[in-house]
Amino acid sequence: MRVFVTGATGFIGSAVVDNLLAAGHQVLGLARTDAAAAQLAERGAAAHHGSLQDLGSLQAGADACDGVIHTAFIHDFGDYQANCEIDRHAIAAMAQALRGSARRLVVTSGTIVAGGKVALESQAAPQTGAVPRAASEAAAAQAVAEGADVVLVRLPPSVHDAGDHGFVPHLIRLARERGVSAYIGDGFNRWPAVHRRDAAALFRLALERGQRGARYHGAADSGVPFRDIASLIGRHLQVPVKALQDDAVHGHFGWFAHFAGVDNPCSSTWTRAQLGWQPTHPGLLTDLDQPHYFQD
């Protein structure tokens, strides 16, 4: 199968490219720059020049392939809602190119959908600002209603491995800057997590075996207590580990306070049974205990 991959040179997308190629698929990766195109060539993939905001390029890439895996997203939390809308339009454009065919679009979303209860694949995301990727999920549902073969892969707050530049590295930076590794309240709020190589395998399986309109959860760890993450960071940096309350929470975490306090236990039982997905890489705490997370 020839697969169009957005975000193909990113942290997650590059692992997806490697997994697809290892499984015998061909890859056409979205590339914004010549440097990105060169990276794809080095991995054995072809490049398609364009961007998330160039809807014509997205449609052309999707139309040239047998399926699409969409991992790209603009991770700028200063204008997060606008970036969610960019994603909504990107999904709609690619789905339109595939509509009426058996070619599948795999869309990325997040596991924060259940408000402290165990997140299940059967749950639709509430269409509220409290759900970070509500716009992406709405776009996927609309595309299915209009005749496209779309599935969702929901990823947890931590997708980890060497090269991670997401939420856990942000916590490490905050602990270095503030001189304390912090958690909120009792710190028992839970983060699911997945190694990026296991996430990559899930994207491929969703493309190959998924059911139209289904949601799949990439949670290898169903819920790691946030206090355990903070404690491990404190030990590595040799800084105190501290519980925060009230105004001190925003003073320490700033815009990240919502994510630091989210309780997001997540099940992937149905996903594993349906797709035969079996994570094999280290869990979050084991991976976080490695030196690569703490190298300046």
Side-chain angles (χ1 to χ4, degrees):
M1 181 183 313
R2 191 172 193 232
V3 186
F4 181 45
V5 180
T6 72
T9 58
F11 177 65
I12 297 169
S14 60
V16 171
V17 169
D18 290 346
N19 191 280
L20 288 168
L21 292 172
H25 297 296
Q26 298 176 359
V27 173
L28 179 67
L30 184 66
R32 288 183 297 152
T33 65
D34 290 341
Q39 289 180 41
L40 288 167
E42 289 176 3
R43 301 184 101 89
H48 176 77
H49 286 273
S51 72
L52 280 185
Q53 292 160 294
D54 181 351
L55 301 185
S57 73
L58 296 179
Q59 288 184 317
D63 195 49
C65 290
D66 305 307
V68 179
I69 296 179
H70 175 47
T71 68
F73 189 81
I74 302 172
H75 292 281
D76 176 3
F77 289 92
D79 204 1
Y80 192 70
Q81 291 302 326
N83 293 330
C84 287
E85 288 304 308
I86 289 171
D87 197 52
R88 183 199 296 270
H89 294 304
I91 291 167
M94 291 184 286
Q96 184 176 9
L98 303 177
R99 192 176 301 156
S101 75
R103 295 177 296 161
R104 171 166 294 149
L105 168 60
V106 183
V107 170
T108 307
S109 183
T111 59
I112 303 174
V113 296
K117 298 179 181 178
V118 177
L120 302 174
E121 295 92 339
S122 59
Q123 292 170 292
Q127 294 304 299
T128 69
V131 177
R133 297 293 286 273
S136 303
E137 299 224 357
Q142 182 65 30
V144 171
E146 293 175 352
D149 185 346
V150 181
V151 302
L152 276 170
V153 169
R154 288 173 171 164
L155 295 179
S158 176
V159 180
H160 55 88
D161 190 12
D164 183 359
H165 49 268
F167 284 178
V168 168
H170 184 70
L171 290 172
I172 294 170
R173 285 193 297 272
L174 285 176
R176 279 198 172 106
E177 292 168 3
R178 311 283 198 259
V180 61
S181 182
Y183 56 88
I184 299 172
D186 60 16
F188 290 157
N189 59 299
R190 294 152 289 182
W191 271 17
V194 65
H195 194 282
R196 71 168 178 145
R197 298 290 175 186
D198 289 323
L202 177 57
F203 276 103
R204 176 179 55 80
L205 290 170
L207 180 72
E208 295 172 342
R209 307 179 188 177
Q211 302 173 21
R212 180 175 177 267
R215 310 174 191 96
Y216 299 104
H217 283 181
D221 288 318
S222 61
V224 180
F226 193 89
R227 186 168 67 175
D228 292 354
I229 300 170
S231 295
L232 198 154
I233 291 171
R235 176 165 60 81
H236 272 269
L237 297 182
Q238 297 183 336
V239 299
V241 179
K242 184 178 180 181
L244 300 180
Q245 305 285 350
D246 303 324
D247 291 344
V249 170
H250 286 277
H252 181 90
F253 290 110
W255 64 267
F256 194 72
H258 168 74
F259 295 104
V262 73
D263 188 27
N264 181 216
C266 181
S267 173
S268 60
T269 300
W270 186 83
T271 294
R272 297 180 194 222
Q274 292 296 309
L275 299 181
W277 181 57
Q278 294 296 331
T280 59
H281 290 81
L284 174 58
L285 294 179
T286 299
D287 199 14
L288 183 55
D289 207 17
Q290 303 306 308
H292 61 75
Y293 265 101
F294 298 93
Q295 294 168 349
D296 290 330

Coordinates of all heavy atoms in Angstrom, one line a residue, residues 189-275:
N189 N -3.7 12.1 40.4 CA -4.2 12.2 39.0 C -3.3 11.4 38.1 O -2.1 11.4 38.2 CB -4.4 13.6 38.5 CG -3.1 14.4 38.5 OD1 -2.4 14.6 39.6 ND2 -2.7 14.9 37.3
R190 N -4.0 10.8 37.1 CA -3.2 9.8 36.3 C -3.1 10.2 34.8 O -4.0 10.7 34.2 CB -4.0 8.4 36.3 CG -4.0 7.8 37.7 CD -5.3 7.0 37.9 NE -6.5 7.8 38.0 CZ -7.7 7.3 38.2 NH1 -7.9 6.0 38.3 NH2 -8.7 8.1 38.3
W191 N -1.9 9.9 34.3 CA -1.5 10.2 32.9 C -1.3 8.8 32.2 O -0.4 8.0 32.6 CB -0.2 10.9 32.8 CG -0.4 12.4 32.8 CD1 -1.4 13.2 33.2 CD2 0.6 13.3 32.3 NE1 -1.1 14.5 33.0 CE2 0.1 14.6 32.5 CE3 1.9 13.2 31.8 CZ2 0.9 15.8 32.2 CZ3 2.7 14.3 31.5 CH2 2.1 15.6 31.7
P192 N -2.1 8.5 31.2 CA -1.7 7.3 30.4 C -0.5 7.7 29.5 O -0.2 8.9 29.4 CB -3.0 7.1 29.5 CG -3.6 8.5 29.4 CD -3.3 9.2 30.7
A193 N 0.1 6.7 28.9 CA 1.4 7.0 28.2 C 1.6 5.9 27.2 O 1.1 4.8 27.3 CB 2.5 7.1 29.1
V194 N 2.4 6.2 26.2 CA 2.8 5.2 25.2 C 4.2 5.5 24.6 O 4.5 6.7 24.4 CB 1.7 5.0 24.1 CG1 1.7 6.3 23.3 CG2 2.0 3.8 23.2
H195 N 5.0 4.5 24.4 CA 6.2 4.7 23.7 C 5.9 5.0 22.2 O 5.0 4.4 21.6 CB 7.1 3.4 23.8 CG 8.5 3.6 23.4 ND1 8.9 3.6 22.1 CD2 9.6 3.7 24.1 CE1 10.2 3.8 22.0 NE2 10.7 3.8 23.3
R196 N 6.7 5.9 21.6 CA 6.3 6.3 20.2 C 6.4 5.2 19.2 O 5.7 5.2 18.2 CB 7.2 7.5 19.8 CG 8.6 7.2 19.5 CD 9.3 8.4 18.8 NE 10.7 8.1 18.6 CZ 11.4 8.5 17.5 NH1 10.8 9.2 16.6 NH2 12.6 8.2 17.4
R197 N 7.3 4.2 19.5 CA 7.4 3.1 18.6 C 6.1 2.2 18.7 O 5.7 1.6 17.7 CB 8.6 2.2 18.9 CG 9.9 3.0 18.7 CD 10.2 3.3 17.2 NE 11.4 4.1 17.0 CZ 11.8 4.6 15.9 NH1 11.1 4.4 14.8 NH2 12.9 5.4 15.8
D198 N 5.6 2.0 19.9 CA 4.3 1.3 20.0 C 3.2 2.1 19.4 O 2.3 1.5 18.8 CB 4.0 1.0 21.5 CG 5.0 0.0 22.1 OD1 5.3 -1.0 21.4 OD2 5.4 0.1 23.2
A199 N 3.2 3.4 19.5 CA 2.2 4.3 18.9 C 2.2 4.1 17.4 O 1.2 4.0 16.7 CB 2.4 5.7 19.3
A200 N 3.4 4.1 16.8 CA 3.6 3.9 15.4 C 3.0 2.6 14.9 O 2.3 2.6 13.8 CB 5.1 4.0 15.0
A201 N 3.2 1.5 15.6 CA 2.6 0.3 15.3 C 1.1 0.3 15.3 O 0.4 -0.2 14.4 CB 3.1 -0.8 16.2
L202 N 0.5 1.1 16.3 CA -0.9 1.2 16.3 C -1.5 2.0 15.1 O -2.5 1.6 14.6 CB -1.3 1.9 17.6 CG -2.8 2.2 17.8 CD1 -3.6 0.9 17.7 CD2 -3.1 2.9 19.1
F203 N -0.8 3.0 14.7 CA -1.3 3.7 13.5 C -1.3 2.8 12.3 O -2.3 2.8 11.5 CB -0.4 4.9 13.2 CG -0.7 6.2 14.0 CD1 0.1 6.5 15.1 CD2 -1.8 7.0 13.6 CE1 -0.2 7.7 15.8 CE2 -2.1 8.1 14.3 CZ -1.3 8.5 15.4
R204 N -0.3 2.0 12.1 CA -0.3 1.1 11.0 C -1.4 0.1 11.1 O -2.1 -0.2 10.1 CB 1.0 0.4 10.9 CG 1.1 -0.7 9.7 CD 2.4 -1.4 9.6 NE 2.9 -2.0 10.9 CZ 2.4 -3.2 11.3 NH1 1.5 -3.9 10.7 NH2 2.9 -3.6 12.5
L205 N -1.6 -0.5 12.3 CA -2.7 -1.5 12.4 C -4.1 -0.9 12.2 O -5.0 -1.5 11.6 CB -2.6 -2.1 13.9 CG -1.4 -3.0 14.1 CD1 -1.3 -3.4 15.6 CD2 -1.5 -4.3 13.3
A206 N -4.2 0.4 12.7 CA -5.5 1.0 12.4 C -5.8 1.2 10.9 O -6.9 1.1 10.5 CB -5.5 2.4 13.1
L207 N -4.7 1.5 10.2 CA -4.8 1.7 8.7 C -5.2 0.3 8.1 O -6.0 0.2 7.2 CB -3.5 2.2 8.2 CG -3.5 2.4 6.6 CD1 -4.4 3.6 6.2 CD2 -2.1 2.6 6.2
E208 N -4.5 -0.7 8.5 CA -4.6 -2.0 7.9 C -5.9 -2.8 8.3 O -6.5 -3.5 7.5 CB -3.4 -2.9 8.2 CG -2.1 -2.4 7.6 CD -0.9 -3.2 8.1 OE1 -1.0 -3.9 9.2 OE2 0.2 -3.1 7.5
R209 N -6.2 -2.7 9.6 CA -7.3 -3.6 10.1 C -8.5 -2.8 10.8 O -9.4 -3.5 11.2 CB -6.7 -4.5 11.2 CG -5.4 -5.2 10.8 CD -4.9 -6.1 12.0 NE -3.7 -6.7 11.7 CZ -3.0 -7.4 12.6 NH1 -3.5 -7.6 13.8 NH2 -1.8 -8.0 12.2
G210 N -8.4 -1.5 10.8 CA -9.4 -0.8 11.6 C -10.8 -0.8 11.0 O -11.0 -1.2 9.8
Q211 N -11.8 -0.5 11.8 CA -13.2 -0.4 11.4 C -13.5 1.0 11.1 O -13.3 1.9 11.9 CB -14.1 -1.0 12.4 CG -13.8 -2.4 12.8 CD -14.6 -2.9 14.0 OE1 -15.7 -2.3 14.3 NE2 -14.2 -3.9 14.7
R212 N -14.2 1.3 10.0 CA -14.7 2.6 9.7 C -15.4 3.3 10.8 O -16.3 2.7 11.4 CB -15.6 2.5 8.4 CG -16.1 3.9 7.9 CD -16.9 3.7 6.6 NE -17.5 4.9 6.1 CZ -18.7 5.3 6.4 NH1 -19.5 4.5 7.2 NH2 -19.1 6.4 6.0
G213 N -15.0 4.5 11.2 CA -15.6 5.2 12.3 C -15.2 4.8 13.7 O -15.7 5.5 14.6
A214 N -14.3 3.9 13.8 CA -13.9 3.4 15.1 C -12.8 4.4 15.8 O -12.2 5.1 15.1 CB -13.3 2.0 15.1
R215 N -12.7 4.3 17.1 CA -11.7 5.0 17.8 C -10.8 4.0 18.5 O -11.3 3.1 19.1 CB -12.4 5.9 18.9 CG -13.5 6.8 18.4 CD -14.2 7.5 19.5 NE -15.4 8.2 19.1 CZ -16.6 7.6 19.2 NH1 -16.8 6.4 19.8 NH2 -17.7 8.3 18.8
Y216 N -9.5 4.2 18.5 CA -8.5 3.3 19.1 C -7.7 4.1 20.0 O -7.3 5.3 19.8 CB -7.7 2.7 18.0 CG -8.5 1.8 17.0 CD1 -8.8 2.3 15.7 CD2 -9.0 0.6 17.4 CE1 -9.6 1.6 14.9 CE2 -9.8 -0.1 16.5 CZ -10.1 0.3 15.3 OH -10.9 -0.4 14.4
H217 N -7.3 3.5 21.1 CA -6.6 4.1 22.2 C -5.1 3.6 22.3 O -4.9 2.4 22.5 CB -7.2 3.9 23.6 CG -8.5 4.7 23.8 ND1 -9.2 4.7 24.9 CD2 -9.0 5.7 23.0 CE1 -10.2 5.6 24.8 NE2 -10.1 6.2 23.7
G218 N -4.2 4.5 22.1 CA -2.8 4.2 22.2 C -2.3 4.3 23.6 O -1.4 5.1 23.9
A219 N -2.8 3.6 24.6 CA -2.4 3.7 26.0 C -1.8 2.4 26.4 O -2.4 1.4 26.6 CB -3.6 4.0 26.9
A220 N -0.4 2.4 26.4 CA 0.3 1.2 26.9 C 0.3 1.2 28.4 O 0.0 0.2 29.1 CB 1.7 1.3 26.4
D221 N 0.6 2.4 29.0 CA 0.3 2.6 30.5 C -1.1 3.2 30.6 O -1.4 4.3 30.0 CB 1.3 3.6 31.1 CG 2.7 3.1 31.2 OD1 2.8 1.9 31.6 OD2 3.7 3.8 30.9
S222 N -1.9 2.6 31.4 CA -3.3 3.1 31.5 C -3.5 4.3 32.3 O -4.4 5.1 32.2 CB -4.2 2.0 32.0 OG -3.8 1.6 33.3
G223 N -2.5 4.5 33.2 CA -2.6 5.7 34.1 C -1.5 5.8 35.1 O -1.5 5.1 36.1
V224 N -0.4 6.6 34.9 CA 0.7 6.7 35.8 C 0.4 7.9 36.7 O 0.1 9.0 36.2 CB 2.0 7.0 35.0 CG1 3.2 7.1 36.0 CG2 2.3 5.9 34.0
P225 N 0.4 7.7 38.0 CA 0.2 8.8 38.9 C 1.2 10.0 38.7 O 2.4 9.8 38.6 CB 0.4 8.2 40.3 CG 0.1 6.8 40.1 CD 0.6 6.4 38.8
F226 N 0.6 11.2 38.6 CA 1.5 12.3 38.3 C 2.6 12.5 39.3 O 3.7 12.9 39.0 CB 0.6 13.6 38.1 CG 1.3 14.7 37.5 CD1 1.4 14.9 36.1 CD2 2.0 15.6 38.3 CE1 2.0 16.0 35.6 CE2 2.7 16.7 37.8 CZ 2.7 16.9 36.4
R227 N 2.2 12.2 40.6 CA 3.2 12.3 41.6 C 4.5 11.4 41.4 O 5.6 11.8 41.7 CB 2.6 12.0 43.0 CG 3.5 12.2 44.2 CD 2.8 12.2 45.5 NE 2.3 10.8 45.8 CZ 1.8 10.5 47.0 NH1 1.5 11.5 47.9 NH2 1.4 9.3 47.2
D228 N 4.3 10.3 40.8 CA 5.4 9.4 40.5 C 6.3 10.0 39.4 O 7.5 9.9 39.4 CB 4.9 8.0 40.0 CG 4.2 7.2 41.1 OD1 4.2 7.7 42.3 OD2 3.6 6.2 40.8
I229 N 5.7 10.7 38.4 CA 6.4 11.3 37.4 C 7.3 12.5 38.0 O 8.5 12.6 37.8 CB 5.5 11.9 36.3 CG1 4.7 10.7 35.6 CG2 6.3 12.7 35.3 CD1 3.6 11.2 34.7
A230 N 6.6 13.3 38.8 CA 7.3 14.4 39.5 C 8.4 13.9 40.4 O 9.5 14.5 40.5 CB 6.3 15.2 40.3
S231 N 8.2 12.8 41.1 CA 9.2 12.3 42.0 C 10.4 11.8 41.3 O 11.6 12.0 41.7 CB 8.6 11.1 42.8 OG 7.6 11.6 43.7
L232 N 10.2 11.1 40.1 CA 11.3 10.6 39.4 C 12.1 11.8 38.8 O 13.4 11.8 38.8 CB 10.8 9.7 38.2 CG 11.8 8.8 37.6 CD1 11.2 7.6 37.0 CD2 12.6 9.5 36.5
I233 N 11.4 12.9 38.3 CA 12.1 14.0 37.8 C 12.9 14.7 38.9 O 14.1 15.1 38.7 CB 11.1 15.0 37.2 CG1 10.5 14.5 35.9 CG2 11.8 16.4 37.0 CD1 9.4 15.3 35.4
G234 N 12.4 14.8 40.1 CA 13.1 15.4 41.2 C 14.3 14.6 41.6 O 15.4 15.2 41.9
R235 N 14.2 13.3 41.6 CA 15.4 12.5 41.9 C 16.5 12.7 40.9 O 17.7 12.8 41.3 CB 15.0 11.0 42.0 CG 16.1 10.1 42.2 CD 15.7 8.7 42.6 NE 14.8 8.1 41.6 CZ 15.3 7.4 40.5 NH1 16.6 7.4 40.3 NH2 14.4 6.9 39.7
H236 N 16.2 12.7 39.6 CA 17.2 12.9 38.6 C 17.9 14.3 38.7 O 19.1 14.4 38.4 CB 16.6 12.6 37.2 CG 16.7 11.2 36.8 ND1 17.8 10.7 36.1 CD2 15.8 10.2 37.0 CE1 17.6 9.4 35.9 NE2 16.4 9.1 36.4
L237 N 17.0 15.3 38.9 CA 17.6 16.7 39.0 C 18.1 17.1 40.3 O 18.7 18.1 40.5 CB 16.5 17.6 38.5 CG 15.9 17.5 37.1 CD1 14.9 18.6 36.8 CD2 17.1 17.6 36.1
Q238 N 17.9 16.2 41.3 CA 18.3 16.5 42.7 C 17.6 17.8 43.2 O 18.3 18.6 43.8 CB 19.8 16.5 42.8 CG 20.4 15.1 42.5 CD 21.9 15.1 42.7 OE1 22.6 16.1 42.7 NE2 22.5 13.9 42.9
V239 N 16.3 17.9 43.0 CA 15.6 19.0 43.5 C 14.4 18.5 44.3 O 14.0 17.4 44.2 CB 15.0 19.9 42.3 CG1 16.2 20.5 41.5 CG2 14.1 19.2 41.5
P240 N 13.9 19.3 45.2 CA 12.8 18.9 46.1 C 11.5 18.6 45.2 O 11.3 19.1 44.2 CB 12.5 20.1 47.0 CG 13.7 20.9 46.9 CD 14.3 20.7 45.6
V241 N 10.7 17.7 45.8 CA 9.4 17.3 45.1 C 8.4 17.9 46.1 O 8.3 17.6 47.3 CB 9.3 15.8 45.0 CG1 7.9 15.4 44.3 CG2 10.4 15.2 44.1
K242 N 7.4 18.7 45.5 CA 6.5 19.4 46.3 C 5.1 19.4 45.8 O 4.9 19.5 44.6 CB 7.0 20.9 46.4 CG 6.2 21.8 47.3 CD 6.8 23.2 47.3 CE 6.0 24.1 48.2 NZ 6.6 25.5 48.1
A243 N 4.1 19.3 46.7 CA 2.7 19.4 46.3 C 2.3 20.9 46.3 O 2.7 21.6 47.2 CB 1.9 18.6 47.4
L244 N 1.5 21.3 45.3 CA 1.1 22.6 45.2 C -0.4 22.7 45.3 O -1.1 21.8 45.0 CB 1.5 23.2 43.9 CG 3.0 23.2 43.5 CD1 3.2 23.8 42.1 CD2 3.8 24.0 44.6
Q245 N -0.9 23.9 45.9 CA -2.3 24.1 46.0 C -2.6 25.5 45.5 O -1.8 26.4 45.5 CB -2.7 24.1 47.5 CG -2.3 22.8 48.2 CD -3.2 21.6 47.8 OE1 -4.3 21.8 47.2 NE2 -2.9 20.4 48.3
D246 N -3.8 25.7 45.1 CA -4.4 27.1 44.8 C -3.5 27.9 43.9 O -3.1 27.5 42.8 CB -4.7 27.8 46.1 CG -5.6 27.0 47.0 OD1 -6.5 26.3 46.5 OD2 -5.4 27.0 48.3
D247 N -3.2 29.1 44.3 CA -2.5 30.1 43.4 C -1.1 29.6 43.1 O -0.6 30.0 42.0 CB -2.4 31.5 44.1 CG -3.8 32.2 44.2 OD1 -4.7 31.7 43.5 OD2 -3.9 33.1 45.0
A248 N -0.5 28.8 43.9 CA 0.8 28.3 43.6 C 0.9 27.4 42.4 O 1.9 27.3 41.7 CB 1.4 27.5 44.9
V249 N -0.3 26.8 42.1 CA -0.3 25.9 40.9 C 0.0 26.7 39.7 O 0.8 26.3 38.9 CB -1.7 25.2 40.8 CG1 -1.8 24.4 39.5 CG2 -1.9 24.2 42.0
H250 N -0.8 27.8 39.4 CA -0.6 28.5 38.2 C 0.8 29.3 38.3 O 1.4 29.5 37.2 CB -1.7 29.5 38.0 CG -3.0 28.8 37.6 ND1 -3.2 28.5 36.2 CD2 -4.0 28.3 38.3 CE1 -4.4 27.9 36.1 NE2 -4.9 27.8 37.3
G251 N 1.2 29.6 39.5 CA 2.5 30.3 39.6 C 3.7 29.4 39.1 O 4.6 29.9 38.5
H252 N 3.5 28.1 39.3 CA 4.5 27.1 38.9 C 4.3 26.7 37.5 O 5.3 26.7 36.7 CB 4.5 25.9 39.8 CG 5.6 24.9 39.5 ND1 6.9 24.9 40.1 CD2 5.6 23.8 38.7 CE1 7.6 23.9 39.6 NE2 6.8 23.2 38.7
F253 N 3.1 26.2 37.2 CA 2.9 25.6 35.9 C 2.4 26.5 34.8 O 2.6 26.2 33.6 CB 1.8 24.5 36.0 CG 2.2 23.3 36.8 CD1 1.7 23.0 38.1 CD2 3.2 22.4 36.3 CE1 2.1 21.9 38.8 CE2 3.6 21.3 37.0 CZ 3.1 21.0 38.2
G254 N 1.8 27.7 35.1 CA 1.4 28.6 34.1 C 0.3 27.9 33.2 O -0.6 27.3 33.7
W255 N 0.4 28.1 31.9 CA -0.6 27.5 30.9 C -0.7 26.0 31.0 O -1.7 25.4 30.6 CB -0.2 27.9 29.5 CG 1.1 27.3 29.0 CD1 2.3 27.9 29.1 CD2 1.3 26.0 28.4 NE1 3.3 27.1 28.5 CE2 2.7 25.9 28.2 CE3 0.4 24.9 28.1 CZ2 3.2 24.8 27.6 CZ3 1.0 23.8 27.6 CH2 2.4 23.7 27.3
F256 N 0.3 25.4 31.6 CA 0.4 23.9 31.6 C -0.4 23.3 32.8 O -0.6 22.1 32.9 CB 1.8 23.4 31.7 CG 2.0 22.0 31.5 CD1 1.9 21.4 30.2 CD2 2.3 21.1 32.5 CE1 2.1 20.1 30.0 CE2 2.5 19.8 32.3 CZ 2.4 19.2 31.0
A257 N -1.0 24.2 33.7 CA -1.7 23.7 34.9 C -2.8 22.8 34.6 O -3.0 21.8 35.3 CB -2.2 24.9 35.7
H258 N -3.6 23.0 33.5 CA -4.7 22.1 33.1 C -4.2 20.7 32.9 O -4.7 19.7 33.4 CB -5.4 22.7 31.9 CG -6.4 21.7 31.3 ND1 -7.6 21.3 31.9 CD2 -6.3 20.9 30.2 CE1 -8.2 20.4 31.1 NE2 -7.4 20.1 30.1
F259 N -3.1 20.6 32.1 CA -2.6 19.3 31.8 C -1.9 18.6 33.0 O -2.0 17.4 33.2 CB -1.6 19.4 30.6 CG -2.2 19.9 29.4 CD1 -2.0 21.2 28.9 CD2 -3.0 19.0 28.6 CE1 -2.6 21.6 27.7 CE2 -3.6 19.4 27.4 CZ -3.4 20.7 27.0
A260 N -1.2 19.4 33.8 CA -0.6 18.9 35.0 C -1.6 18.3 36.0 O -1.3 17.4 36.8 CB 0.2 19.9 35.7
G261 N -2.8 18.9 36.0 CA -3.9 18.4 36.9 C -4.9 17.4 36.3 O -5.7 16.9 37.1
V262 N -4.8 17.2 35.0 CA -5.8 16.3 34.4 C -5.7 14.9 34.9 O -4.6 14.3 35.1 CB -5.7 16.3 32.9 CG1 -4.5 15.6 32.4 CG2 -6.9 15.8 32.2
D263 N -6.9 14.3 35.2 CA -6.9 12.9 35.6 C -7.5 12.1 34.4 O -8.7 12.3 34.1 CB -7.8 12.7 36.8 CG -7.8 11.3 37.4 OD1 -6.8 10.6 37.2 OD2 -8.8 10.8 38.0
N264 N -6.7 11.3 33.8 CA -7.0 10.7 32.5 C -6.8 9.2 32.4 O -6.0 8.8 31.5 CB -6.3 11.5 31.4 CG -6.5 11.0 30.0 OD1 -5.7 11.0 29.1 ND2 -7.8 10.6 29.7
P265 N -7.3 8.5 33.3 CA -7.2 7.0 33.2 C -7.8 6.6 31.9 O -8.8 7.1 31.5 CB -7.9 6.4 34.4 CG -8.9 7.5 34.8 CD -8.2 8.8 34.5
C266 N -7.1 5.6 31.3 CA -7.5 5.3 29.9 C -7.4 3.8 29.6 O -6.4 3.2 30.0 CB -6.6 6.0 28.9 SG -7.0 5.7 27.2
S267 N -8.4 3.2 29.1 CA -8.4 1.8 28.7 C -8.0 1.6 27.2 O -8.5 2.4 26.4 CB -9.8 1.1 28.9 OG -9.8 -0.2 28.5
S268 N -7.2 0.6 26.9 CA -7.0 0.2 25.5 C -7.3 -1.2 25.3 O -6.9 -1.9 24.4 CB -5.5 0.5 25.2 OG -4.6 -0.3 26.0
T269 N -8.1 -1.8 26.2 CA -8.5 -3.2 26.1 C -9.1 -3.6 24.8 O -8.8 -4.6 24.2 CB -9.4 -3.6 27.3 OG1 -8.7 -3.4 28.5 CG2 -9.8 -5.1 27.2
W270 N -10.1 -2.8 24.4 CA -10.8 -3.0 23.2 C -9.9 -2.9 22.0 O -10.0 -3.7 21.0 CB -12.0 -2.1 23.0 CG -12.9 -2.4 21.9 CD1 -13.9 -3.3 21.8 CD2 -12.9 -1.7 20.6 NE1 -14.5 -3.2 20.5 CE2 -13.9 -2.3 19.8 CE3 -12.1 -0.7 20.0 CZ2 -14.1 -1.9 18.5 CZ3 -12.3 -0.3 18.7 CH2 -13.3 -0.9 18.0
T271 N -9.1 -1.9 22.0 CA -8.1 -1.6 20.9 C -7.2 -2.8 20.7 O -7.0 -3.3 19.6 CB -7.3 -0.4 21.2 OG1 -8.1 0.8 21.2 CG2 -6.1 -0.2 20.2
R272 N -6.7 -3.4 21.8 CA -5.8 -4.5 21.7 C -6.5 -5.7 21.2 O -5.9 -6.5 20.4 CB -5.2 -4.8 23.1 CG -4.3 -3.7 23.7 CD -3.8 -4.0 25.0 NE -3.2 -2.8 25.7 CZ -2.1 -2.8 26.4 NH1 -1.4 -3.9 26.5 NH2 -1.7 -1.7 27.0
A273 N -7.7 -5.9 21.6 CA -8.5 -7.1 21.2 C -8.8 -7.0 19.7 O -8.8 -8.0 18.9 CB -9.7 -7.3 22.0
Q274 N -9.2 -5.8 19.2 CA -9.7 -5.6 17.9 C -8.5 -5.6 16.9 O -8.6 -6.2 15.8 CB -10.4 -4.3 17.7 CG -11.7 -4.3 18.5 CD -12.7 -5.2 17.9 OE1 -13.0 -5.3 16.7 NE2 -13.3 -6.1 18.7
L275 N -7.4 -5.0 17.2 CA -6.3 -4.9 16.3 C -5.1 -5.8 16.5 O -4.2 -5.8 15.7 CB -5.8 -3.4 16.3 CG -6.8 -2.3 15.9 CD1 -6.2 -0.9 15.9 CD2 -7.4 -2.6 14.5

